[in-house]
Amino acid sequence: MFNIFYQSHAGSWLLTVILFVLSVIFSNQKVTLMIQRLFYLIMLVSGIGMLAILGFPLLFILKGVLAIILIGLMEMIVARRRRKQPTAPMWIGFIIVLIIIVLIGYGVISF
């Protein structure tokens, strides 16, 4: 069961980031944004499933909180881009949080 959650979680992360890039590039359409939001749900459900199987370790709870912050940053970047407002600070936050999440996910950061 863990492997099913893990594969769906990793795949949804990859597709979410790809769809986010497409949503930013093609900001006048809504299809990629709606599909991206579907993958948010898949990512969250599979992440919570893995947390439950692992017994809710603190590091992965932190990773989950950072992932929710990352989702918020992605939504703010897309919304601000559509309104033609500056997005540079959010891009910096997005890159930093994404790197931390990936490093925790692959076990580079652990304690």
Side-chain angles (χ1 to χ4, degrees):
M1 189 69 166
F2 181 80
N3 194 30
I4 293 171
F5 281 133
Y6 177 77
Q7 293 299 325
S8 62
H9 191 71
S12 64
W13 264 107
L14 177 66
L15 289 173
T16 299
V17 172
I18 291 170
L19 288 167
F20 169 67
V21 171
L22 290 175
S23 295
V24 169
I25 292 171
F26 304 111
S27 60
N28 292 332
Q29 52 80 37
K30 294 182 181 179
V31 175
T32 57
L33 188 59
M34 290 298 122
I35 299 170
Q36 177 182 343
R37 289 177 178 156
L38 172 68
F39 279 99
Y40 290 158
L41 291 175
I42 295 170
M43 177 183 57
L44 289 172
V45 168
S46 61
I48 292 169
M50 286 191 304
L51 273 174
I53 290 172
L54 292 174
F56 296 96
L58 183 61
L59 183 63
F60 291 121
I61 291 173
L62 174 65
K63 181 181 179 266
V65 170
L66 288 173
I68 292 170
I69 291 170
L70 185 70
I71 289 171
L73 286 169
M74 288 193 282
E75 287 291 319
M76 286 191 294
I77 289 170
V78 170
R80 284 180 163 249
R81 178 144 169 101
R82 284 185 177 198
R83 288 181 275 165
K84 309 224 185 306
Q85 294 178 337
T87 59
M90 273 160 259
W91 276 106
I92 293 168
F94 169 79
I95 292 169
I96 291 170
V97 173
L98 181 64
I99 289 171
I100 292 170
I101 289 172
V102 170
L103 292 176
I104 291 172
Y106 282 108
V108 176
I109 298 176
S110 63
F111 51 87

